[in-house]
């Protein structure tokens, strides 16, 4: 099984809508900056037949695409893109699917919105969205009185720049790596830009939330190396148990000390609740205000958002709850390494400055500008992060899992900047490219060796995310009004 491209997602979704015209609708929710369609796949609700809270999430028989465990039928377990009905090689016709079931503002029932592809370098979400839609058609219990809606790829332009259908190593994954700067990420843009400068991908997502008023929004994310964890804008009581069971069944470590959620309330291993405004809960440095992101837009309608992270490569180091003997000393060392590594990338970036302004007649690589913006954004973050790690707010007590998560976070920052810069230098034949290539190769090998990286098959990543999404909805409904509008 491979990670599907945005075009393959659209084709597979069209095939599913054609196969189930009474239950499934595919429509265009917006258009990306480059003019690509942003697709929403909707599965219609069924008449309530019983309490939705009695749902038993997961599938004891194996992955959601168990009929195609090896992905031999193409991305996301579907038919070959060229053989799918309803569209050519470039995807389905945007005019198709304008009418049909499962769309619109949701009427008087509940709605769940699942967002995939918000980060271009995290491609598992689209496969999970398709898998969940198929599962809901096989087992309609979660659809009782509830429509399910899947934003198949929130950033198709970014996804086209990050090309890694089936990476065989961390180095393979970083060869065509791309992650846009924060202001260009659909979910984070509202926390960094004024309303009149929001990108069209963000506007499409916000409009969809306004239309559906979801009781639950789930954002599907991934990490290159580490474990699985869930961030919540409101607690969902009881989610920790099915989440932990799924991770254990599938041999995926639970990230107990996620750097993204340092100091946040944690009702169970790997479950973190974003602190309320004004809380004294500490956290890892972020330039964005999480509460201004699209995650919180659902709160306007008493909805809850869950962010489900799953690793591509697993490491048991992030699942170690033992106390670390010297967290502040470790953070000083990690900050020093991060600063030194970033300096190496910054030096190569300076050598490439002439590439920002090609001379007359020079060939302009269309990928160079977004790649360099992302490089500069990442390098600008690093000094502030290093200060945060060594400042007075650094924790005096922490787990080994937390220090491991910070270690991984620091490694990937410099590595990502270097990998994206390498793409630009390599494309233009820059003399600095071979040296930077050796640096990226060495960092990938060190990262994998330090953390004992173990590949998680795509079908397993999809299964864990799918189980967690269904469990979140079931527990949210079972908890009743205390967790929002249900």
């Amino acid at each position: 099984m491979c990670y599907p491209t945005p075009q393959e997602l659209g084709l597979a979704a069209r095939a599913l809508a054609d196969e189930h015209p009474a239950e499934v609708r595919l429509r265009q929710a917006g258009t990306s900056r480059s003019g690509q369609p942003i697709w929403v796949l909707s599965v219609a609700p069924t008449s309530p037949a019983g309490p939705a809270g009695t749902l038993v999430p997961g599938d004891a028989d194996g992955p959601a695409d168990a009929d195609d465990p090896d992905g031999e039928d193409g991305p996301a377990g579907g038919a070959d893109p060229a053989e799918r009905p309803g569209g050519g090689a470039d995807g389905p016709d945007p005019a198709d699917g304008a009418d049909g079931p499962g769309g619109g503002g949701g009427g008087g029932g509940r709605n769940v919105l699942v967002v995939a592809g918000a980060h271009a370098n995290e491609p598992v979400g689209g496969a999970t969205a398709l898998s969940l839609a198929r599962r809901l058609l096989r087992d309609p219990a979660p659809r009782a009185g509830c429509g399910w809606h899947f934003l198949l790829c929130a950033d198709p332009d970014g996804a086209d720049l990050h090309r890694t259908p089936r990476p065989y190593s961390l180095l393979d994954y970083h060869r065509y790596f791309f992650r846009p700067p924060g202001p260009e990420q659909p979910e984070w843009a509202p926390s960094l830009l004024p309303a009149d400068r929001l990108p069209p991908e963000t506007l499409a997502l916000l409009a969809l939330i306004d239309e559906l008023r979801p009781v639950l929004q789930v954002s599907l994310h991934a990490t290159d190396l580490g474990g699985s964890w869930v961030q919540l804008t409101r607690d969902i009581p009881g989610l920790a148990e099915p989440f932990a069971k799924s991770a254990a069944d599938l041999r995926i470590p639970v990230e107990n000390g996620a750097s993204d959620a340092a100091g946040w309330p944690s009702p169970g291993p790997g479950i973190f609740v974003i602190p309320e405004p004004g809380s004294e809960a500490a956290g890892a440095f972020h330039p964005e205000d999480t509460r201004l992101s699209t995650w919180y837009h659902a709160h306007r309608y008493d909805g809850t958002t869950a962010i489900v992270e799953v690793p591509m490569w697993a490491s048991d180091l992030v699942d170690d709850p033992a106390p670390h003997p010297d967290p502040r000393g470790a953070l000083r060392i990690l900050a020093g390494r991060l600063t030194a590594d970033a300096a190496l990338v910054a030096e190569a970036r300076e050598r490439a400055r002439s590439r920002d302004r090609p001379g007359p007649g020079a060939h302009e690589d269309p990928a160079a500008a977004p790649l360099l913006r992302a490089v500069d954004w990442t390098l600008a973050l690093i000094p502030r992060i290093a200060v945060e790690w060594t400042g007075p707010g650094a924790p005096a007590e922490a787990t080994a899992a937390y220090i491991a998560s910070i270690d991984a976070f620091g490694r990937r920052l410099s590595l990502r900047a270097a990998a994206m810069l390498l793409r630009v230098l390599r494309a233009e034949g820059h003399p600095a490219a071979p040296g930077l290539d050796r640096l990226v190769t060495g960092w990938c090998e060190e990262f994998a060796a330090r953390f004992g990286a173990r590949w998680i098959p795509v079908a397993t990543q999809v299964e864990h995310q799918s189980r967690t999404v269904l469990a979140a909805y079931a527990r949210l409904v079972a908890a009743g009004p205390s967790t929002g509008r249900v």
Side-chain angles (χ1 to χ4, degrees):
M1 186 176 184
C2 300
Y3 296 121
T5 66
Q7 293 74 26
E8 290 166 342
L9 286 169
L11 289 166
R14 166 51 56 204
L16 194 63
D18 289 347
E19 185 180 353
H20 301 273
E23 300 173 280
V24 179
R25 177 190 182 193
L26 179 65
R27 60 186 173 117
Q28 186 174 340
T31 303
S32 74
R33 279 160 288 187
S34 73
Q36 293 196 70
I38 298 173
W39 295 110
V40 177
L41 182 71
S42 296
V43 182
T46 61
S47 299
T54 61
L55 166 69
V56 179
D59 186 345
D61 294 332
D65 288 317
D67 54 329
D68 180 27
D70 298 320
E72 296 177 0
D73 292 334
D80 185 86
E83 299 174 357
R84 292 180 183 128
D90 296 329
D93 186 343
D96 290 347
D99 299 304
R110 294 189 293 264
N111 285 300
V112 172
L113 173 61
V114 179
V115 179
H119 284 154
N121 61 303
E122 300 169 6
V124 69
T128 299
L130 284 178
S131 179
L132 271 169
R134 294 184 182 118
R135 185 183 297 216
L136 290 166
L137 291 167
R138 295 195 305 267
D139 176 12
R143 294 163 51 200
C146 182
W148 287 72
H149 310 268
F150 302 93
L151 187 63
L152 297 177
C153 184
D155 183 11
D157 295 353
D160 278 351
L161 280 174
H162 179 86
R163 299 191 296 274
T164 176
R166 192 171 187 170
Y168 294 97
S169 66
L170 275 175
L171 178 59
D172 191 31
Y173 169 71
H174 284 92
R175 280 298 182 200
Y176 294 95
F177 182 91
F178 176 69
R179 182 184 177 103
E184 298 176 32
Q185 296 175 15
E187 292 182 326
W188 285 116
S191 67
L192 296 164
L193 296 174
D196 61 352
R197 291 178 55 201
L198 293 178
E201 297 87 349
T202 297
L203 296 176
L205 176 54
L206 292 173
L208 195 60
I209 296 171
D210 288 336
E211 172 196 333
L212 298 174
R213 302 186 173 201
V215 296
L216 176 65
Q217 177 184 212
V218 182
S219 186
L220 301 174
H221 286 256
T223 185
D224 46 17
L225 195 160
S228 179
W229 74 97
V230 178
Q231 300 174 69
L232 300 170
T233 59
R234 291 190 178 102
D235 187 22
I236 299 179
L239 178 58
E241 180 182 354
F243 168 76
K245 182 179 185 303
S246 174
D249 288 347
L250 298 170
R251 297 188 62 237
I252 297 175
V254 170
E255 191 136 347
N256 287 312
S259 59
D260 285 359
W264 292 4
S266 180
I271 307 293
F272 302 95
V273 182
I274 300 174
E276 292 294 326
S279 168
E280 295 182 358
F285 175 82
H286 293 287
E288 312 92 345
D289 183 344
T290 304
R291 289 174 293 272
L292 295 178
S293 72
T294 59
W295 297 348
Y296 272 80
H297 199 70
H299 281 216
R300 296 187 177 194
Y301 312 106
D302 293 326
T304 298
T305 297
I307 302 92
V308 182
E309 300 267 4
V310 65
M312 302 172 71
W313 283 269
S315 171
D316 293 332
L317 295 182
V318 300
D319 197 11
D320 184 356
H324 191 280
D326 182 15
R328 287 180 174 170
L331 287 172
R332 283 194 297 271
I333 293 172
L334 295 178
R337 187 192 66 204
L338 175 61
T339 301
D341 288 350
L344 296 175
V345 183
E347 180 182 354
R349 175 68 178 102
E350 284 303 315
R351 295 182 63 185
R353 285 290 172 187
S354 60
R355 180 62 187 82
D356 294 353
R357 298 176 296 277
H363 172 67
E364 175 66 25
D365 180 1
L371 284 165
L372 290 175
R373 287 198 302 271
V375 171
D376 293 341
W377 166 265
T378 304
L379 290 176
L381 289 181
I382 287 175
R384 289 177 282 170
I385 293 174
V387 168
E388 184 81 6
W389 289 355
T390 56
E397 298 180 358
T399 65
Y402 172 70
I403 297 301
S405 182
I406 290 289
D407 184 358
F409 178 64
R411 289 175 187 268
R412 67 173 59 98
L413 279 177
S414 301
L415 176 55
R416 288 172 175 179
M420 289 187 287
L421 179 59
L422 177 58
R423 289 183 62 180
V424 177
L425 299 185
R426 196 168 51 209
E428 70 168 5
H430 196 286
L436 190 58
D437 196 349
R438 289 190 295 271
L439 188 66
V440 169
T441 299
W443 282 351
C444 286
E445 292 173 349
E446 291 171 8
F447 195 3
R450 168 70 179 88
F451 283 82
R454 169 173 53 86
W455 171 249
I456 303 293
V458 176
T460 304
Q461 299 173 39
V462 166
E463 176 67 7
H464 180 56
Q465 278 195 326
S466 298
R467 291 181 182 184
T468 303
V469 171
L470 292 172
Y473 175 68
R475 299 299 170 121
L476 183 73
V477 172
S482 63
T483 54
R485 190 190 85 256
V486 293

